[in-house]
Amino acid sequence: MDLHDIREEYSKQTLDEKQCKNDPLLQFEQWLNEAIAAKVNEPTAMNLATVDPNGKPAARIVLLKEVNAEGLVFFTNYLSRKGKGIQHQPFVALTFFWPELERQVRVEGRAQELPAEQSDAYFASRPYTSRIGAWASEQSAVISGKSSLVAKAAMIAAKYPLNVPRPPHWGGYLVIPETMEFWQGRPSRLHDRILYRHEAGCWTTVRLSP
């Protein structure tokens, strides 16, 4: 298969500045709800990009768990590679891609840890096995094999047969956007791109060339 020959013509919808809400987080909620209604595969999956102390970028898929008036929330192990990257450099980038709707959203902003009580509340809502896994996994660390991880999970389950407290190294981040770009695929690669920028305490919008 020649990858040069793989092409897709986008033509389902358009995006005009007049259609966009004044607040990009409200615009994002609208698009997210439309993605969920359209039964897009993994609509809350987002690519999270961080930078390590050596200036090397790393990216991975995480799941969005909340959108509010301040920003976007996800949860992870604070001692993971992504957590250490955020500790070093709190500025991150997020990308959502919903190919079924020919849409993409890009977010750039600062990540900050959620208050402990918010992380506690979300952790308590997770399935029991997921809570055990948060204790058992030293995320991003090298392990001897899968059996050692399973054995550790069994030990944690024996220690916490009912109530599993949140590990101190696990919790949430709020990404506070500084820019948000909404991309709608269009024919002839003349895509619609609307960029929101937070300046002087308010949001402004501009159209970008595709």
Side-chain angles (χ1 to χ4, degrees):
M1 179 181 294
D2 187 346
L3 300 184
H4 295 91
D5 294 333
I6 299 177
R7 293 183 177 85
E8 186 74 28
E9 187 75 348
Y10 301 130
S11 60
K12 291 184 176 179
Q13 300 186 61
T14 63
L15 180 64
D16 187 86
E17 295 92 324
K18 296 177 182 178
Q19 295 175 291
C20 295
K21 298 183 182 298
N22 293 331
D23 187 328
L25 289 165
L26 295 178
Q27 180 67 35
F28 176 81
E29 281 192 297
Q30 176 181 314
W31 271 27
L32 177 61
N33 289 334
E34 291 175 5
I36 294 171
K39 300 188 184 301
V40 166
N41 188 38
E42 296 286 6
T44 62
M46 59 186 186
N47 183 292
L48 165 66
T50 58
V51 178
D52 72 12
N54 296 316
K56 294 182 178 180
R60 75 290 288 164
I61 301 299
V62 299
L63 297 179
L64 175 71
K65 288 300 178 182
E66 182 183 338
V67 185
N68 57 44
E70 294 182 278
L72 298 89
V73 173
F74 69 95
F75 294 85
T76 190
N77 186 316
Y78 291 142
L79 301 180
S80 65
R81 184 180 180 187
K82 72 179 83 66
K84 291 176 180 178
I86 292 171
Q87 184 178 18
H88 161 72
Q89 173 54 269
F91 289 101
V92 302
L94 307 172
T95 304
F96 295 83
F97 182 47
W98 301 312
E100 296 90 338
L101 298 178
E102 301 173 350
R103 285 175 172 174
Q104 177 180 241
V105 180
R106 298 174 59 227
V107 182
E108 296 178 6
R110 176 186 290 270
Q112 64 181 37
E113 288 187 21
L114 288 180
E117 57 270 21
Q118 289 182 241
S119 291
D120 288 339
Y122 174 69
F123 188 80
S125 74
R126 303 181 83 210
Y128 175 79
T129 52
S130 296
R131 285 177 279 160
I132 292 297
W135 277 98
S137 173
E138 297 179 33
Q139 195 174 99
S140 303
V142 175
I143 58 176
S144 60
K146 184 65 175 288
S147 60
S148 64
L149 182 63
V150 172
K152 187 173 181 181
M155 291 176 58
I156 298 297
K159 183 177 180 180
Y160 301 116
L162 296 175
N163 182 43
V164 185
R166 179 177 64 88
H169 56 266
W170 191 98
Y173 286 103
L174 170 69
V175 178
I176 302 171
E178 294 186 352
T179 66
M180 294 185 70
E181 180 192 322
F182 294 81
W183 179 99
Q184 178 70 62
R186 298 297 298 140
S188 303
R189 296 297 185 262
L190 300 179
H191 310 304
D192 291 328
R193 296 176 63 189
I194 304 299
L195 176 68
Y196 289 77
R197 294 185 292 207
H198 196 254
E199 301 173 326
C202 63
W203 289 101
T204 60
T205 60
V206 293
R207 175 175 284 271
L208 301 180
S209 173

